[in-house]
Structures are given as structure tokens and as C-alpha cells.
Amino acid sequence: LAKTTQPVSMDSYEGQEVNITCSHNNIATNDYITWYQQFPSQGPRFIIQGYKTKVTNEVASLFIPADRKSSTLSLPRVSLSDTAVYYCLVLRYGQNFVFGPGTRLSVLP
Amino acid sequence: NAGVTQTPKFQVLKTGQSMTLQCAQDMNHEYMSWYRQDPGMGLRLIHYSVGAGITDQGEVPNGYNVSRSTTEDFPLRLLSAAPSQTSVYFCASSYQGQGEGAFFGQGTRLTVV
């Protein structure tokens, strides 16, 4: 599976838009890009998944350029409760999840 | 629906003791897996199962056993606990393995002294 690289940590203020970019240079044709969120003392929670272009749901948007070598998770107007670790995963049907260290987002008042 | 339920939430073991971490899901998912998460780290796959009666090893299987006699349950056994197994353990399930959203339990915090 393609290795992913994302920032170790990010800081933001309440009400701002946060964009977390993930690099996955070796992504294959059949791979999907998936993002998970993990709060302290909880299991990861699925946020969003996409293959190409843009995907939006009630929580976030996911932007994937045409070459699919990177993706950007966008969180609109973050609040203190969005403080968490965000994981970018490249998934292939039938393959296991591989979690990296993720991006630790701290939202400040 | 309860989703993925793990028990116990906390456990302290002495070195050499054995125990079973329980995991149950009520979503009729085929795929279940166990991860461990050490402080400040991502999750590492221990064992997984693609259906009842089928299990396989993940990235860090040593010291752990699993079985999958039913679709709903996927217990993780520590054979002889060691301090290096102090960690938080998460169970997850999903419909078709990957490419679909996985649901995680709340975790079991295990300390081996």
C-alpha cells in the first residue's frame, strides 16, 4: 500500500478553516483515500473517503487532485471539539488498514 | 445498535498472567480486527479476520491469539502477559474489509506490571 506523509501537528483557532494535506506518491489505481479522526481515549472514527476530485459530507470536505498523489482534508470553521488526531489512509479492497502517527490538530480559543 | 463493544475498559495484569479481551459487534460485519496503540503512536494491526472461522496475522501478532467462531465475536487472548504489552487495544469491524468505513470500539487500556 502507498505510504502516506502528513504533518505531525497543526494549531488553529476557533472559527478558522483547517486544511490538512497528505502525500501518497505511490497510490495505485484501485486505492481509495480515507480519513479518520481520533479523540483522546477513544477509537478512531471514520470521517470521509474519496477516489478523486472533491467529496463533501456534513463533517468535512476532501480534495483530491487529478494525479491523486496528495489529498487535503478541509474542516470548515473548527471548534474546540475538533481537537483530535487525524489519520490519512490509503486503502485497497481486501488489504489491511495501515495507520501512521497522524496529524495532531489543536484548536485554540 | 451498540456498534462495536469491547470489554473490559481497563485491566491490570501481572507479568505471566493470561487474559482475554472481548470484542463484539452487532452490525453483521464480515471483517474484524485488533489493533494496539502505544502512547503518541498510530495503531498497529495485531490480528484480523475476514469471516467466521478465518483469521490471519497482522503486523505485531507475537504474544496474542485470536479465534472467530461467530460473526459477532472476535476475542483477543494474551497468552503470557509482558510489560511490553502495556497498551490500549482497539477492536474494529467493517463490511467488506477495506474501502468501507470501519467502526472502532472504545478501547481496552491494559497495564502489565
Side-chain angles (χ1 to χ4, degrees):
Chain A
L1 288 175
K3 180 181 177 181
T4 60
T5 303
Q6 52 184 123
V8 173
S9 63
M10 294 180 68
D11 291 337
S12 181
Y13 290 96
E14 280 192 293
Q16 289 187 331
E17 178 185 73
V18 171
N19 295 311
I20 306 174
T21 297
C22 178
S23 298
H24 26 79
N25 291 323
N26 296 324
I27 191 168
T29 303
N30 295 333
D31 293 342
Y32 284 80
I33 298 141
T34 305
W35 285 80
Y36 278 78
Q37 175 191 56
Q38 185 179 25
F39 297 115
S41 302
Q42 294 189 25
R45 183 176 73 112
F46 172 83
I47 301 177
I48 197 166
Q49 177 174 284
Y51 183 78
K52 62 181 178 181
T53 63
K54 178 183 175 181
V55 179
T56 297
N57 62 22
E58 64 277 7
V59 177
S61 295
L62 178 60
F63 299 91
I64 306 168
D67 66 6
R68 303 199 329 124
K69 293 184 183 299
S70 68
S71 59
T72 299
L73 175 72
S74 181
L75 305 172
R77 298 180 299 280
V78 295
S79 64
L80 296 176
S81 62
D82 292 316
T83 293
V85 178
Y86 293 82
Y87 298 97
C88 167
L89 289 80
V90 172
L91 300 182
R92 186 177 304 162
Y93 185 87
Q95 300 291 323
N96 294 313
F97 287 73
V98 177
F99 284 84
T103 296
R104 190 172 298 274
L105 173 65
S106 297
V107 180
L108 308 172
Chain B
N1 285 342
V4 178
T5 303
Q6 290 184 236
T7 55
K9 287 186 171 55
F10 302 93
Q11 183 70 50
V12 178
L13 288 179
K14 293 183 178 179
T15 297
Q17 286 185 317
S18 63
M19 80 159 293
T20 299
L21 278 61
Q22 301 292 343
C23 177
Q25 53 94 4
D26 60 0
M27 297 171 282
N28 202 32
H29 285 166
E30 300 166 354
Y31 187 94
M32 296 185 73
S33 52
W34 277 101
Y35 294 82
R36 60 175 289 173
Q37 185 172 35
D38 299 321
M41 306 286 287
L43 285 78
R44 291 186 292 169
L45 182 67
I46 305 172
H47 285 284
Y48 65 97
S49 168
V50 299
I54 305 169
T55 64
D56 207 345
Q57 296 180 349
E59 180 186 358
V60 288
N62 292 339
Y64 308 94
N65 272 355
V66 292
S67 60
R68 184 93 180 271
S69 57
T70 66
T71 299
E72 294 78 18
D73 300 300
F74 190 43
L76 177 72
R77 297 184 190 84
L78 279 70
L79 308 173
S80 177
S84 61
Q85 293 179 304
T86 294
S87 189
V88 181
Y89 292 84
F90 290 102
C91 177
S93 75
S94 64
Y95 255 123
Q96 293 180 335
Q98 313 307 322
E100 302 285 341
F103 295 83
F104 284 78
Q106 293 284 45
T108 295
R109 186 175 296 275
L110 175 68
T111 302
V112 182
V113 298

